[in-house]
Amino acid sequence: MNCYPKVCVTGGSGYIGSWLINKLLHKGYTVHATFRNLEDTSKVDFLKSLPNAESNLVLFQADLYNYNDFEQAIHGCEFVFHVATPLQHNPQSSQYKDMAEATVAGAKNIVKICIRSKTVKRFIYTATVLAASPLNEDGISFKCCMDESCWTPLHLSFSYGNGFCKSYTKGKTLAEREVLKYNNMELDGKKLQVVTLALGLVGGDTFLSHAPSTIQAICSQVSGNLLGYNHGLRFLQQVLGSIPMVHVDDVCEAHIFCMENSEVEGRFLCAVANPTSRDIALYFQQHYPQCKIDDRFMGETEEEIKFDSSKLSKLGFEYKYDLQKILDESLECGKRLRVISHP
């Protein structure tokens, strides 16, 4: 008999969701995973083939635009990982005016389902460092350090990043603020603990048959992808002053660490390094001289922004992948999935 509790992972077909499901199954957990479309075999079949999936993985069709879909998936679970986020707005929706509003409503509604379930002990929200900008309200100067006290000023405009980047940043910032309000909220004598993990730019390898957008951004200077560079690395640097980075395996281990340790609650930054775009370009140039980088992608020398993500480490979490491993594995992944055509 499986002695591990049931857990729910929303967004099971995504980069982080699929990697997290694999780790949870490997550890022996029973996983309820949600997908927008269970008939999309390209996103479902590889998860069904994972070790222990036949006995421990249950798939549910659920759409953030219809939050009642998640009731059945969350039923009986002790922990919920909310990884899913709308990546495009459904123009037919009469509920939400844009992607940001849908992101906030989706997160809020799933927290409420967790509270109503009376079985969920902890809600773990996959957030982003884009919600933790150290920019001051003037939009020009930066605070002395980026840490969990920082929140991105949403009234600012940025020259890099497209409409999606800005809507994503707004939605994830407001959603994280909203779910943290429910931390230790009591209902019928039971409390729900809430954890938010504000992730840096996620790199490494992937189970997916295509390169995730984050890996495309990491590889953009080598691949010559100007849109990926401007909407990825340069946008992050403009908002944050640097580019916090973390390996996908450490991301998922951090999620599980936050589930398994009852003293973990509240907000945590999750990144192991914070290079600038120039630092990344120089690394690739030095270690992969066969990959020529155009001057347009070399970045500029920037004032160093102090980044403090020690809050999670002080509780006992250890990162296994440093910046070099993140960049090396992201580049290899980019080559394998033909993001990069260079040898």
Side-chain angles (χ1 to χ4, degrees):
M1 182 176 178
N2 189 346
C3 62
Y4 286 86
K6 292 179 181 178
V7 304
C8 179
V9 178
T10 70
S13 64
Y15 179 26
I16 296 170
S18 58
W19 200 282
L20 178 59
I21 289 169
N22 179 58
K23 278 196 166 287
L24 289 165
L25 290 174
H26 180 76
K27 290 174 181 286
Y29 288 94
T30 295
V31 181
H32 289 188
T34 72
F35 300 80
R36 275 194 311 244
N37 181 12
L38 283 179
E39 296 181 3
D40 188 344
T41 57
S42 67
K43 295 182 178 180
V44 173
D45 286 355
F46 80 94
L47 287 175
K48 290 181 177 179
S49 68
L50 292 173
N52 299 326
E54 186 174 350
S55 59
N56 287 17
L57 179 63
V58 186
L59 307 182
F60 296 84
Q61 186 158 308
D63 191 325
L64 286 172
Y65 279 80
N66 185 12
Y67 69 91
N68 288 325
D69 289 352
F70 292 88
E71 292 271 6
Q72 188 178 3
I74 291 173
H75 179 74
C77 292
E78 292 186 28
F79 304 96
V80 172
F81 299 95
H82 184 32
V83 185
T85 193
L87 295 181
Q88 57 185 10
H89 179 57
N90 180 358
Q92 306 301 319
S93 172
S94 57
Q95 297 171 277
Y96 313 120
K97 65 181 181 181
D98 55 27
M99 187 178 77
E101 190 173 279
T103 301
V104 177
K108 183 177 179 179
N109 289 330
I110 290 175
V111 171
K112 289 182 176 179
I113 294 172
C114 292
I115 294 172
R116 289 201 303 269
S117 75
K118 298 183 180 179
T119 61
V120 177
K121 298 176 180 178
R122 192 169 300 120
F123 172 86
I124 300 161
Y125 180 66
T126 306
T128 170
V129 289
L130 280 169
S133 171
L135 271 171
N136 288 310
E137 292 293 321
D138 60 13
I140 301 172
S141 60
F142 286 91
K143 299 179 175 69
C144 62
C145 178
M146 179 180 176
D147 59 20
E148 285 81 2
S149 68
C150 296
W151 288 97
T152 300
L154 295 178
H155 66 279
L156 302 177
S157 60
F158 300 100
S159 54
Y160 294 109
N162 56 10
F164 168 81
C165 297
K166 293 162 187 176
S167 186
Y168 177 82
T169 300
K170 177 182 178 182
K172 294 294 283 186
T173 302
L174 293 175
E176 187 182 6
R177 280 186 175 276
E178 185 64 32
V179 299
L180 283 169
K181 294 176 183 178
Y182 292 85
N183 186 32
N184 282 322
M185 181 173 287
E186 187 171 331
L187 181 68
D188 297 333
K190 292 189 175 182
K191 290 183 178 181
L192 177 71
Q193 289 181 310
V194 174
V195 178
T196 66
L197 281 170
L199 308 180
L201 185 64
V202 182
D205 205 349
T206 181
F207 291 118
L208 305 181
S209 59
H210 62 276
S213 60
T214 55
I215 289 180
Q216 291 184 47
I218 293 170
C219 296
S220 61
Q221 293 159 303
V222 175
S223 66
N225 179 355
L226 190 59
L227 288 178
Y229 178 55
N230 286 336
H231 301 334
L233 301 186
R234 298 194 83 174
F235 178 66
L236 277 160
Q237 188 160 307
Q238 190 172 44
V239 176
L240 305 174
S242 63
I243 304 169
M245 300 185 74
V246 62
H247 193 282
V248 64
D249 199 78
D250 279 336
V251 163
C252 295
E253 287 291 349
H255 278 71
I256 295 169
F257 177 85
C258 290
M259 173 185 67
E260 294 179 337
N261 291 272
S262 58
E263 72 274 17
V264 179
E265 60 182 89
R267 190 186 199 206
F268 296 88
L269 297 185
C270 185
V272 73
N274 64 316
T276 63
S277 61
R278 184 167 183 80
D279 293 332
I280 296 170
L282 290 173
Y283 177 84
F284 286 143
Q285 198 174 56
Q286 179 182 353
H287 291 84
Y288 300 91
Q290 72 276 21
C291 299
K292 305 301 181 183
I293 299 177
D294 188 279
D295 288 344
R296 294 176 299 164
F297 297 91
M298 285 303 298
E300 299 173 356
T301 302
E302 303 280 349
E303 181 180 348
E304 183 177 352
I305 301 296
K306 185 180 178 183
F307 179 83
D308 183 4
S309 60
S310 63
K311 183 180 175 184
L312 190 61
S313 300
K314 287 175 181 176
L315 291 174
F317 180 73
E318 295 182 6
Y319 292 95
K320 296 178 181 177
Y321 296 83
D322 60 14
L323 178 61
Q324 179 175 337
K325 289 181 180 178
I326 296 169
L327 295 177
D328 289 346
E329 289 191 21
S330 297
L331 198 65
E332 287 304 312
C333 180
K335 289 177 181 179
R336 178 173 61 84
L337 295 175
R338 301 184 183 279
V339 170
I340 299 167
S341 58
H342 301 293

